[in-house]
Amino acid sequence: MENDQTSVHVSLPHGGGYPILIEWGCIDRLGSLLRRESIEGEVFLLSDRKVWGLYGDALEAGMEASGYRILEKLILEPGEESKSLANWMAALDRLVALEDGTARSLFLVNLGGGVIGDIGGFVAASYRRGIPCVQVPTSLLAQVDSSVGGKTGVNHPGGKNLIGAFYQPRLVVADLKTLKTLDPREVRSGLVEVVKYGLIWDAAFFAYLEENFGRVLDLEEEALRKVVRVSCEVKAAVVGRDEKEQKGLRTLLNLGHTFGHALEAATQYRQYTHGEAVAVGTLCATWISVALDMLPSAHYARILSLFERIGLPTRVSEAETDRLWEAMKRDKKFIHGRNRFVLLDEIGKARVVEDIDPTILEQALEAHLHGNTDS
Ligand code: NAD
Ligand code: GLY
C-alpha cells in the first residue's frame, strides 16, 4: 500500500543512529522524506545505468519538487566491476570540480544495489573527511543487508572489498516497489541474506521463510515488508552492539561467506551472484557444524531443502573446488593463515569457530560437488 510506512532505527553503540524507512512506492517522494529528516544541502547523485533508467526521472522530479537541487550525477555501468578505485576517484574528481569557492553543503544520494551503496558510501566517507550520505537501496540484497551498517568500499585487483571504511549513512530509504523490476535471479540471491538472519538469530523467522519464501519470490508486498523489516531489525541489533566487527558479534553476519567469497573469486565473479555463492558457503558451513557434532543433521536437510526450493545452486564443480582452495588462502578472513568459520549451534544460533581441521573443510566441499549425493 502506497504511503504505508514501516521504520527500523539503527542505534549506534557510541550514540547517534539513523532510521531505515521501508515503504511501497516512495521514490518520487524521496525529497519530502529527506525534508522530514532535516537533511539539507545540494545533492550529488550516484546510480547505475539500469537503475537510473528505471527510476531516475521519478527520483529527480520528486527531489526538485521538494526544493532539492541535484548538482551533479555519476551514472556507472551496472555490475561488480564498477566497484572500482577508478570510479571512486571519478566521483571525487566530480565533487572537487564542484568547488567554486563557496562553502557548499553537499550530500550524496546512492540509488541502486549493493555496488552503488558500497562505492557511494566510500565516496561520502572520504570526501572532505565525510559528507552526509543517503542510501536508497533498490535490490533485495541492498535493502536487507548492504545499505545498513556502514560497511563501505571498493574492490582492489588484489581482492574484493579490500579498500574501504566504516561510515554510517544519515538515512536509508527502502522502496519495496522497486524490487518489482529486479531480475528474479537477483531476488533469489538477496533471499539468501534474508535466510542468513533466520539461521544466525531467529529460528521463528527461518520457519516463516520455509512457509513463505514463495510469496517473497512473487514479490508480494506484505511478505516483502516483513522480510525487509525483520532483516533490518536483526542487522540493526547486531550493528548497534558491534559496529566495527570488533566483538565477534558482527562476524556472525558472515555465515557462509568464507567459502562464498572464495567461490566468487575462484570463478572471477562471473559464474555466481554473491547470494548464490553464499548459499553454497552456508551449506558447507552447516555441513561442518554437523560434522563437528554441533548441529543435528536434520537441520542440514532443512536448510538444503529451503535453498533447493528457492532455486539456488547447492553444488559446485570439481574444477571450481580446486580453484576455490587457492582463493581461500587469499581470503581476508583467513587471519594469519588460521581458518575461521561461522558455524551453527542450532537454527537461530551461530558462533565463530577457528582452526578447523582442513580435512573436514575438504570433505565439506566434496559433499557439495555435482554428482555427489552423500551429504
Ligand atoms: P548490484 O548492485 O550489482 O545489483 C545487481 C543488479 O541488479 C545490477 O545489474 C543492478 O543494475 C540491478 N538492479 C538493482 N536494483 C534494481 C531494480 N530495482 N530493478 C532492476 N534492476 C536492478 O548487486 P547487489 O546484489 O545489489 O549487491 C552486491 C554488492 O553488495 C557486492 O559488491 C557485495 O560485496 C556488496 N555487499 C555489501 C555489503 C555491506 O555490508 N556493505 C553486504 C553484502 C554485500
Ligand atoms: N554484510 C556483513 C556486514 O555488514 O557485516
Side-chain angles (χ1 to χ4, degrees):
M1 230 192 320
E2 314 259 338
N3 290 333
D4 194 1
Q5 191 178 88
T6 307
S7 73
V8 174
H9 194 79
V10 181
S11 300
L12 296 168
H14 303 292
Y18 53 93
I20 304 164
L21 308 181
I22 302 164
E23 294 209 20
W24 181 271
C26 66
I27 281 285
D28 55 349
R29 289 183 288 109
L30 185 65
S32 64
L33 298 177
L34 296 176
R35 286 270 174 246
R36 224 176 54 195
E37 298 297 328
S38 305
I39 296 172
E40 303 297 339
E42 293 174 298
V43 179
F44 184 96
L45 195 134
L46 195 72
S47 189
D48 78 30
R49 192 170 38 75
K50 195 190 290 178
V51 175
W52 185 252
L54 289 162
Y55 301 107
D57 287 349
L59 180 138
E60 203 158 18
M63 294 287 282
E64 282 167 9
S66 295
Y68 287 100
R69 190 152 73 107
I70 299 182
L71 266 189
E72 178 74 279
K73 41 183 173 289
L74 179 60
I75 310 298
L76 304 176
E77 283 306 302
E80 186 67 30
E81 281 173 10
S82 282
K83 216 172 95 175
S84 65
L85 276 163
N87 280 333
W88 170 74
M89 191 65 194
L92 292 175
D93 285 345
R94 300 266 190 116
L95 280 161
V96 171
L98 294 173
E99 301 268 6
D100 59 1
T102 61
R104 283 191 191 287
S105 151
L106 276 172
F107 69 93
L108 239 96
V109 172
N110 300 321
L111 172 74
V115 164
I116 292 301
D118 278 14
I119 186 171
F122 188 43
V123 170
S126 40
Y127 184 61
R128 290 189 168 276
R129 300 189 189 88
I131 62 172
C133 159
V134 175
Q135 298 283 18
V136 187
T138 60
S139 68
L140 183 59
L141 180 141
Q143 294 190 354
V144 299
D145 189 355
S146 63
S147 65
V148 177
K151 276 192 183 176
T152 74
V154 294
N155 302 327
H156 183 276
K160 191 169 148 75
N161 296 330
L162 277 187
I163 317 290
F166 283 101
Y167 189 71
Q168 301 291 344
R170 271 288 310 277
L171 173 68
V172 180
V173 179
D175 183 343
L176 302 170
K177 198 175 176 185
T178 60
L179 302 178
K180 286 274 183 193
T181 53
L182 200 58
D183 187 303
R185 186 178 178 195
E186 298 292 348
V187 179
R188 290 195 294 274
S189 187
L191 201 43
V192 177
E193 303 288 1
V194 176
V195 172
K196 171 185 82 181
Y197 293 116
L199 290 175
I200 65 165
W201 199 266
D202 186 341
F205 185 48
F206 181 82
Y208 169 87
L209 293 168
E210 288 182 302
E211 291 297 314
N212 293 280
F213 72 89
R215 295 175 60 214
V216 178
L217 294 179
D218 288 343
L219 303 172
E220 277 184 30
E221 179 185 343
E222 194 196 329
L224 283 176
R225 194 178 284 276
K226 164 137 182 161
V227 299
V228 174
R229 174 182 58 77
V230 175
S231 300
C232 288
E233 282 170 353
V234 177
K235 184 133 189 197
V238 170
V239 170
R241 288 184 227 169
D242 185 14
E243 182 187 359
K244 299 200 171 157
E245 209 167 318
Q246 289 163 332
K247 299 180 184 163
L249 186 64
R250 190 163 180 168
T251 314
L252 301 184
L253 297 174
N254 295 329
L255 174 70
H257 285 61
T258 310
F259 275 132
H261 274 161
L263 182 59
E264 278 184 284
T267 51
Q268 283 78 44
Y269 302 95
R270 291 198 187 110
Q271 182 75 14
Y272 300 97
T273 63
H274 177 71
E276 288 168 349
V278 170
V280 176
T282 299
L283 287 172
C284 288
T286 306
W287 192 96
I288 296 166
S289 310
V290 173
L292 295 180
D293 284 331
M294 291 169 57
L295 188 76
S297 60
H299 288 349
Y300 175 89
R302 264 178 88 183
I303 300 166
L304 175 65
S305 160
L306 179 57
F307 284 167
E308 282 176 346
R309 285 182 294 145
I310 290 173
L312 290 159
T314 56
R315 294 185 183 279
V316 290
S317 74
E318 197 152 2
E320 285 166 354
T321 316
D322 292 345
R323 288 203 297 273
L324 192 154
W325 266 120
E326 278 311 302
M328 275 192 80
K329 290 180 206 148
R330 295 194 299 270
D331 190 288
K332 65 180 172 174
K333 290 185 188 70
F334 269 70
I335 303 167
H336 309 306
R338 291 168 72 189
N339 68 56
R340 196 163 187 243
F341 281 76
V342 179
L343 300 183
L344 296 174
D345 280 314
E346 48 192 84
I347 288 181
K349 194 160 172 252
R351 74 178 138 109
V352 176
V353 179
E354 291 188 339
D355 284 332
I356 299 167
D357 180 349
T359 313
I360 293 180
L361 303 182
E362 219 167 340
Q363 287 168 348
L365 279 171
E366 273 168 21
H368 295 88
L369 285 178
H370 286 299
N372 189 347
T373 51
D374 182 27
S375 51

